[in-house]
Amino acid sequence: MESPELWRELGQQLRVDSVRAAAVTSSGHPTSSMSGADLMAVLLANHLHYDFANPEDPRNDHLVFSKGHASPLLYAMYKAAGAITDEELFTFRKFGSRLEGHPTPVIPWVDVATGSLGQGLPYGVGIALAGKRLDRLPYRTWVLCGDSEIAEGSVWEAFEHAAYEKLDNLTAIIDVNRLGQRGETMHGWDLGSYTKRAEAFGWHAIEIDGHDVEAIDRAFTEAADTTGVPTVIVAKTIKGKGVQAVENKDGFHGKALPEAEQAIEELGGIRNIAVEVAKPEISGEPHVFETSGSLELPSYELGAEVATRKAYGEALKAIGDARGDVIALDGEVSNSTYAEIFRDAHPDRYFEMFIAEQQMVAAAVGIQVRKWKPFASTFAAFFTRAYDFIRMAAISRANIKLCGSHAGVSIGEDGPSQMGLEDLAALRAVHGSTVLYPSDANQTAKLVEAMVDLDGIVFLRTTRGETPVIYEAGESFPVGGARVVRSSDEDEVALIGAGITLHEALKAADSLAGEGVSARVIDLYSVKPVDVKTLRATAEATGGRLVVAEDHWPEGGLGEAVLSAFAAADESVKVVHLAVREMPGSGKPAELLAAAGIDAEHIATAARQLVASTVGAAN
Ligand SMILES: Cc1ncc(C[n+]2csc(CCOP(=O)(O)OP(=O)(O)O)c2C)c(N)n1
């Protein structure tokens, strides 16, 4: 649709429909929608290539509303495109409607959930990376940003990364309406403050009047024609444009218009322009990476000393040999996480994300939009930098795999800044997540294999130091299971650990055996979902005496996962919970494990006392 008159009319329609949608529950963000309406009208009518009947078409463009609160504008676009009816528009923000307050992939044309500001552009970088380096198809990614959200650091991680990767298939559109939620932004209408920064980051930047439809059209064409660098369109707009009562005024952010009927009249009334959105014009199929065929996981000799982080790298490489859809990303620590083993074997499917953890997780989310299987790794501690992205990834229904190395005090001399001590709690709290924590190399390989096709946010925690291989290669470790490593009919107590503490528990069981105390040892490699059945059977067999030891703060880790298994149980259990309770410093791993009270000696002591007190009491 190439008529400026029509674009203007469509812009007014998008405004009117935004006002109408927000009036339904008297909530939403119509003024934020009205500033971007002309930008989106021209995009929809003349630049977006998208088959609404086939959202899975790999050739489709991608449109990300980073300012997700402008959902009325997005849904008004869907109506104009014929994807939803006027009737459905009127379900906006109602219970049960897929037109939620902020867009989520419950709607088939939404790739990623937004609404936490500063995230859309980093996701756009991920999608554009998939287009350029994985799918190798020239679809475009368009991201609509608010001006206030540009203050987020994650936006600048994205700016830097997009330029570094020469993402000329990515266009950012900044809707500079001067206002944020509570007043003026840092830069107001100083468009140059955005263009100069973007140019300094290596972008092509275009300043326009965001209500001049012909200028908008020219800018989109220029963006699509620009090669070698991404483009940002910095558009001067007016918040609440078209309705005098709210135009460019403070105090109307996130509010339905006071007089909706009057506003609609002022905007020229209800229209029903139907836009024939262009279908993708590009041809070709997504690239397929060649592989060597069948999967041969690495295998390790019983008794060998191997770090689980090393097994992660070796297993991921082997899986990558067999599967072309497996991708790896790392945050500048690939020689610590051992993602470098994958990188060296599959450089085309490896993304160096440097020290930008938010962008790393966002890129993984963007890459999985196109059905690739991303594994992102860094120190377990540093995923906290990207926690909001992980939280939002769950709302995106994203399938991403995260590997956090350097778990706990057992890393040793580097000290607490490098120790993952809250990662289990953080990742367990994510909706629908899976949390795995292997203790030996063969188990790690099997769990990494299982991760590939698991849905949702899957987290694997690995250990820095070498630990003995205790399982035969090829043994099975179902997700949601636990392994009874040692047991007898005479067990009086159970020692429960995972990762490094499983090995401490085994040593403790040895010393207890020497004193005539028989201890059952449980490997809780699946922290979430936790194996309720095995835990309850263990409690039954050991008189309910459980010692749990974990290299993690006491809150939200292994201990609380174990306790959750007994929340609705009839039997009562006596749980001694050994965890890191004091701020650790530097030292040798063994010294730090002892200082935290989670080494073999402390486990044995706790077990001895538990048995002495409770057996005595029972007698
Ligand atoms: C990370 C984050 N912080 C705060 C908010 C609350 N919030 C929602 S919209 C908004 C203002 C956004 O202003 P801008 O990006 O300029 O968009 P506009 O609505 O003005 O177009 C704020 C602070 C949020 N959604 N996300």
Side-chain angles (χ1 to χ4, degrees):
M1 198 166 85
E2 293 205 25
S3 144
E5 192 40 49
L6 257 171
W7 298 336
R8 275 186 280 273
E9 277 297 296
L10 180 59
Q12 289 298 80
Q13 171 172 321
L14 298 180
R15 287 189 177 91
V16 168
D17 284 343
S18 298
V19 172
R20 293 168 74 216
V24 175
T25 62
S26 202
S27 74
H29 296 74
T31 58
S32 305
S33 300
M34 290 155 86
S35 61
D38 296 315
L39 294 160
M40 291 301 102
V42 178
L43 184 74
L44 189 71
N46 211 31
H47 295 272
L48 187 72
H49 291 88
Y50 195 89
D51 185 353
F52 278 90
N54 185 10
E56 301 289 317
D57 188 329
R59 289 161 287 266
N60 278 336
D61 279 356
H62 296 265
L63 172 60
V64 178
F65 258 49
S66 189
K67 44 180 279 184
H69 57 282
S71 53
L73 174 57
L74 183 65
Y75 304 155
M77 292 168 76
Y78 292 159
K79 182 201 131 176
I84 64 168
T85 59
D86 212 34
E87 215 179 350
E88 185 170 3
L89 191 65
F90 279 109
T91 68
F92 177 55
R93 285 180 168 243
K94 281 194 167 171
F95 181 73
S97 170
R98 62 179 176 171
L99 306 186
E100 297 174 32
H102 297 75
T104 75
V106 169
I107 302 171
W109 317 291
V110 173
D111 290 324
V112 286
T114 50
S116 179
L117 292 168
Q119 298 206 350
L121 195 58
Y123 294 135
V125 167
I127 299 169
L129 276 175
K132 246 200 190 320
R133 290 191 35 199
L134 301 175
D135 290 325
R136 303 185 184 174
L137 288 171
Y139 53 75
R140 296 200 67 74
T141 301
W142 310 87
V143 182
L144 179 67
C145 304
D147 49 349
S148 198
E149 68 160 325
I150 304 300
E152 284 284 3
S154 53
V155 171
W156 297 100
E157 289 185 15
F159 262 102
E160 188 157 57
H161 211 88
Y164 172 78
E165 292 281 358
K166 301 183 170 53
L167 298 178
D168 51 16
N169 52 350
L170 175 67
T171 306
I173 304 155
I174 309 182
D175 180 356
V176 187
N177 60 23
R178 190 185 71 82
L179 295 168
Q181 174 172 316
R182 45 85 256 157
E184 195 168 45
T185 63
M186 262 193 260
H187 305 296
W189 266 326
D190 177 7
L191 298 196
S193 70
Y194 298 104
T195 48
K196 274 190 243 150
R197 280 171 175 73
E199 282 163 0
F201 275 76
W203 284 53
H204 176 51
I206 308 171
E207 284 182 23
I208 56 166
D209 171 350
H211 301 305
D212 175 345
V213 289
E214 281 151 316
I216 297 169
D217 185 54
R218 282 193 300 275
F220 287 155
T221 303
E222 188 176 323
D225 290 346
T226 300
T227 54
V229 295
T231 296
V232 58
I233 295 167
V234 180
K236 182 176 176 182
T237 59
I238 296 170
K239 200 152 172 169
K241 165 85 175 157
V243 175
Q244 262 194 0
V246 296
E247 238 188 36
N248 193 29
K249 287 209 175 95
D250 256 349
F252 291 101
H253 177 88
K255 293 195 176 120
L257 261 52
E259 304 285 346
E261 288 301 320
Q262 214 173 300
I264 291 164
E265 206 171 301
E266 194 178 335
L267 290 163
I270 295 170
R271 298 156 176 81
N272 281 300
I273 303 169
V275 180
E276 188 75 40
V277 177
K279 299 230 165 49
E281 283 161 8
I282 56 178
S283 57
E285 292 299 322
H287 177 74
V288 175
F289 290 90
E290 279 189 21
T291 53
S292 60
S294 62
L295 174 60
E296 267 186 58
L297 283 178
S299 63
Y300 304 91
E301 294 280 316
L302 279 180
E305 296 276 333
V306 186
T308 54
R309 61 179 171 137
K310 184 88 178 281
Y312 166 75
E314 290 176 341
L316 193 61
K317 180 248 169 212
I319 295 164
D321 290 344
R323 289 187 59 157
D325 56 351
V326 170
I327 311 301
L329 310 92
D330 191 274
E332 234 266 291
V333 289
S334 57
N335 54 340
S336 294
T337 59
Y338 284 107
E340 66 177 10
I341 301 172
F342 182 96
R343 176 201 64 199
D344 292 345
H346 309 293
D348 291 356
R349 281 185 274 145
Y350 175 81
F351 296 91
E352 180 54 62
M353 302 312 293
F354 302 95
I355 310 175
E357 291 79 13
Q358 299 184 81
Q359 179 57 80
M360 177 174 74
V361 172
V365 172
I367 283 169
Q368 67 82 47
V369 162
R370 287 285 313 116
K371 313 290 177 218
W372 301 93
K373 311 271 187 181
F375 282 74
S377 50
T378 182
F379 286 20
F382 303 142
F383 274 116
T384 55
R385 301 290 292 246
Y387 193 58
D388 191 37
F389 281 83
I390 299 170
R391 177 186 75 89
M392 288 295 293
I395 302 175
S396 284
R397 281 67 169 173
N399 299 320
I400 59 171
K401 297 104 195 18
L402 307 174
C403 174
S405 69
H406 292 62
V409 300
S410 77
I411 68 163
E413 288 80 356
D414 266 346
S417 68
Q418 315 298 298
M419 296 169 177
L421 283 166
E422 46 281 290
D423 55 304
L424 293 176
L427 272 297
R428 280 180 72 224
V430 172
H431 177 73
S433 66
T434 301
V435 178
L436 305 170
Y437 184 13
S439 57
D440 99 333
N442 285 323
Q443 187 184 47
T444 305
K446 290 301 279 185
L447 293 178
V448 176
E449 180 192 358
M451 287 170 82
V452 181
D453 291 315
L454 270 181
D455 283 346
I457 316 298
V458 187
F459 178 66
L460 182 87
R461 185 186 215 221
T462 62
T463 300
R464 176 174 184 271
E466 292 173 345
T467 45
V469 174
I470 58 169
Y471 299 119
E472 300 270 5
E475 285 188 43
S476 112
F477 297 96
V479 171
R483 178 61 78 94
V484 181
V485 186
R486 198 171 290 183
S487 69
S488 78
D489 292 340
E490 279 79 50
D491 293 337
E492 295 172 89
V493 61
L495 314 179
I496 303 172
I500 194 86
T501 58
L502 177 71
H503 299 283
E504 297 300 318
L506 284 166
K507 282 186 251 168
D510 285 343
S511 68
L512 289 167
E515 303 161 18
V517 176
S518 180
R520 183 164 295 203
V521 179
I522 306 292
D523 177 1
L524 207 72
Y525 64 86
S526 180
V527 185
K528 182 186 173 187
V530 78
D531 186 344
V532 174
K533 210 168 136 209
T534 296
L535 286 172
R536 289 196 182 177
T538 300
E540 201 165 312
T542 59
R545 288 181 285 275
L546 311 177
V547 176
V548 187
E550 60 178 318
D551 197 354
H552 187 274
W553 299 130
E555 295 85 3
L558 235 51
E560 293 189 353
V562 168
L563 285 166
S564 73
F566 295 98
D570 294 332
E571 62 272 54
S572 72
V573 284
K574 181 88 183 79
V575 177
V576 178
H577 182 194
L578 306 178
V580 183
R581 290 171 193 271
E582 301 292 330
M583 185 57 71
S586 290
K588 293 197 174 69
E591 290 171 333
L592 291 166
L593 289 170
I598 55 172
D599 66 349
E601 211 178 309
H602 284 87
I603 296 171
T605 303
R608 222 176 275 129
Q609 286 172 354
L610 185 58
V611 170
S613 64
T614 51
V615 170
N619 291 343

